[in-house]
Amino acid sequence: RNVARMASMLRELSEAIRIDSQPTAPRRVPCDLRALVLDVVAGLTGDDALRVSVQADLSPHRVLGDSTQLERLVTNLLTNALKYSPADAPVHVRLIADDGEVQLAVHDQGIGIGPDLIANLFDRYYRAPAGRARASGLGLGLYIARMIVQRHGGHIDVVSEVGQGSTFSVVLPLHE
């Protein structure tokens, strides 16, 4: 378990360095964000696979993007939601395409984040005190998520309340 944890941290560090060192936007091709989310969820194992529900409207969810980076984005958001929630708490993923944009929202019922900490949440190596006490990590997952979203022309935000959970929302331009 410790070896797997260390390998995961090294992958995150390597990915953060790679993203920081790429001055140009990622190679973009049409991607179906709904299919990508469903693939990530299908790859979950054990109890985590049972905790995640996906709701998506029927409209197309195509974006121009690097599918590997977008998969990393979804994985990071789901991993955090699962990691910082009680073991029996559900995690909800919602996809909505509207007005030229696709919104991906990941909602958990976890420990939540205080309003005074949200400003730093997407910074490199930042970990909220309650998060450090609950799980290991380098504080790179949300930083990587922010970098991926920005490089795809979108934005990421969070709404959270301590003890009530968090909703991370990503908005990306819709590809017609």
Side-chain angles (χ1 to χ4, degrees), residues 7 16 29 34 36 49 53-54 71 78 81 91 132 135 156:
V29 297
R34 177 179 27 203
L36 194 141
S53 67
V54 178
E71 183 177 320
L78 277 176
V91 171
R132 284 193 303 264
I156 186 169

Side-chain angles (χ1 to χ4, degrees), residues 86-109:
D88 61 346
V91 171
H92 303 286
V93 180
R94 187 181 73 239
L95 277 165
I96 299 171
D98 188 34
D99 200 27
E101 297 177 326
V102 176
Q103 180 188 40
L104 164 69
V106 177
H107 174 74
D108 66 57
Q109 298 173 11

Side-chain angles (χ1 to χ4, degrees), residues 111-121 126 128 157-163 165-166:
I111 60 175
I113 305 148
D116 55 324
L117 304 175
I118 287 179
N120 298 321
L121 200 57
Y126 181 78
D157 195 14
V158 62
V159 175
S160 187
E161 187 176 334
V162 174
S166 303

